[in-house]
Amino acid sequence: MIKRLTPILLACVIGIAVVGYFVGLSDGVPKPAGLSGAGALEASWLPGGEHHASVSAENKVVPAVTYGQIPGAAMGPTAGFQASAKMLPQPAYDLFAEVHPSEAEKAESGKIRASRRAYNGAPPVIPHAVQNTTDAACYACHSQGMRLAGLKASVMSHPFLANCTQCHAPPPPEPFKGADTGVQSSFVGLPAPKAGKRAFPGAPPTIPHSQWMRQNCTACHGGPNGWAGMESTHPWRTNCTQCHAPSAVLDQAIPAAVVPMLPPLEVVAE
Ligand code: HEC
Ligand code: HEC
Ligand code: HEC
Ligand code: HEC
């Protein structure tokens, strides 16, 4: 009995599959709505003077073409496309406005900065979600500094370095939020400096940190997007090291092997 039914059953299944295949082919295929019939494309280069449909700007469907036809095909961006990012209107910054750095703000800024770094001088983690991690995306907000929604994007303190996320870690993806991904390490960084040394009260303080990755002084010490409390009173100055002495030791400018009597790394952590 079962032996006789099996071929019938199989025939039914195959029959339904074949019918379904043709029903599927004729049904549910989206009809291209945006093609205008006119062969507007200059296609004189195509073999045999082939023409194919141009694309209307409002209702764009890109017609499929062969690889050979791609260079001449109407595949450009839609009408609304802008090649460069439109800058949001930014508040004007007065370089010569009087600055009164406050100690309380400086302490608060120091706390935020420390919370994003494994140790002093480490690249800060990215404190916001990033969907697009290309350099251009980061650069759009962090090259000049961008103010939006009450936040300000800090200016890069270093020159342009490709591959931002090589050093700046983005937040973990959703499933790994809260997962303990820390790696045990006995490394301890130097304490963050509080202030530079002064020859006398009123003298320009020395730079209490290395200049590595901090070439753009006004990224932190003033300018429109500097850190509150860390502003200098003279952001208009152009050559900071004219008055503020850098430290060869902190900059590790002289190898210790050459000058063995170099004092140990010293940071005023007062
Ligand atoms: C839409 C603008 C925008 C884009 C794009 C953007 N950021 Fe930011 N970023 C900000 C803002 C605003 C802050 C400040 C957030 C805060 O203070 O809470 C910030 C903070 C940071 C900080 C912390 C700075 C510090 O010193 O504390 C880092 C690092 C950073 N972003 C890196 C990146 C990287 C890398 C990318 C690209 C993958 C990127 N950002 C893309 C706006 C942006
Ligand atoms: C080779 C590693 C490296 C790369 C690549 C890199 N950075 Fe940095 N970045 C650093 C370090 C280190 C600091 C911290 C400087 C400090 O605080 O001493 C820093 C600081 C910053 C800051 C914070 C300045 C502040 O206010 O404290 C921003 C913003 C930033 N980088 C953005 C970027 C962007 C955007 C890119 C890509 C175009 C990028 N960085 C590429 C290492 C890197
Ligand atoms: C990534 C941020 C950052 C950059 C860029 C940076 N600094 Fe600093 N600087 C600090 C921090 C943090 C301190 C610690 C004291 C403080 O909070 O003001 C400091 C302290 C100083 C001080 C001592 C201030 C005082 O009150 O004694 C001087 C002077 C100084 N920096 C000069 C410079 C110069 C010059 C440059 C450019 C070559 C520079 N800094 C770049 C973050 C930065
Ligand atoms: C013509 C010399 C000179 C130049 C150039 C100069 N500074 Fe200063 N800076 C001083 C003096 C003097 C003080 C001490 C002011 C005081 O104690 O009242 C000072 C103080 C500071 C402080 C400590 C906070 C404050 O204002 O007291 C910072 C931070 C600082 N300067 C950063 C910078 C940065 C960043 C630049 C480059 C944009 C720069 N300075 C260029 C002379 C200079």
Side-chain angles (χ1 to χ4, degrees):
M1 180 69 179
I2 290 178
K3 262 194 180 170
R4 273 178 61 198
L5 275 183
T6 308
I8 297 171
L9 206 71
L10 273 178
C12 284
V13 169
I14 291 169
I16 289 168
V18 169
V19 171
Y21 174 74
F22 286 105
V23 169
L25 271 189
S26 64
D27 195 35
V29 178
K31 304 261 181 318
L35 294 183
S36 79
L41 193 73
E42 289 298 327
S44 51
W45 58 273
L46 288 174
E50 246 179 83
H51 283 241
H52 49 93
S54 73
V55 175
S56 82
E58 310 83 54
N59 208 349
K60 186 171 161 150
V61 173
V62 179
V65 293
T66 65
Y67 283 121
Q69 293 168 337
I70 285 175
M75 288 194 184
T78 50
F81 177 81
Q82 291 162 354
S84 54
K86 216 176 196 176
M87 290 302 282
L88 295 169
Q90 296 292 298
Y93 175 69
D94 180 4
L95 204 57
F96 299 101
E98 219 170 292
V99 177
H100 299 284
S102 108
E103 280 301 321
E105 280 179 343
K106 185 167 160 173
E108 184 55 31
S109 291
K111 233 187 264 163
I112 299 174
R113 290 173 55 78
S115 73
R116 293 173 182 166
R117 288 163 166 81
Y119 52 89
N120 188 43
V125 297
I126 308 176
H128 53 73
V130 276
Q131 282 169 356
N132 184 344
T133 55
T134 61
D135 294 344
C138 314
Y139 205 61
C141 287
H142 288 287
S143 58
Q144 306 296 316
M146 172 93 76
R147 283 176 188 233
L148 46 147
L151 291 170
K152 50 186 187 180
S154 24
V155 178
M156 284 192 307
S157 57
H158 49 70
F160 177 80
L161 294 165
N163 197 358
C164 314
T165 49
Q166 177 195 358
C167 300
H168 297 287
E174 204 54 56
F176 300 107
K177 288 254 162 74
D180 183 15
T181 51
V183 177
Q184 287 298 317
S185 160
S186 56
F187 177 81
V188 180
L190 285 172
K194 292 273 186 297
K197 289 179 180 169
R198 298 184 192 228
F200 50 86
T206 59
I207 307 177
H209 52 72
S210 87
Q211 296 176 87
W212 285 358
M213 309 303 278
R214 294 190 172 192
Q215 291 89 337
N216 183 7
C217 312
T218 44
C220 298
H221 292 296
N225 285 28
W227 286 88
M230 279 169 48
E231 311 99 323
S232 82
T233 53
H234 37 278
W236 65 86
R237 293 281 185 185
T238 50
N239 184 0
C240 311
T241 49
Q242 177 193 358
C243 302
H244 296 285
S247 156
V249 177
L250 290 171
D251 284 344
Q252 298 180 24
I254 314 163
V258 177
V259 192
M261 70 290 270
L262 268 183
L265 286 179
E266 198 189 331
V267 172
V268 184
E270 155 269 324

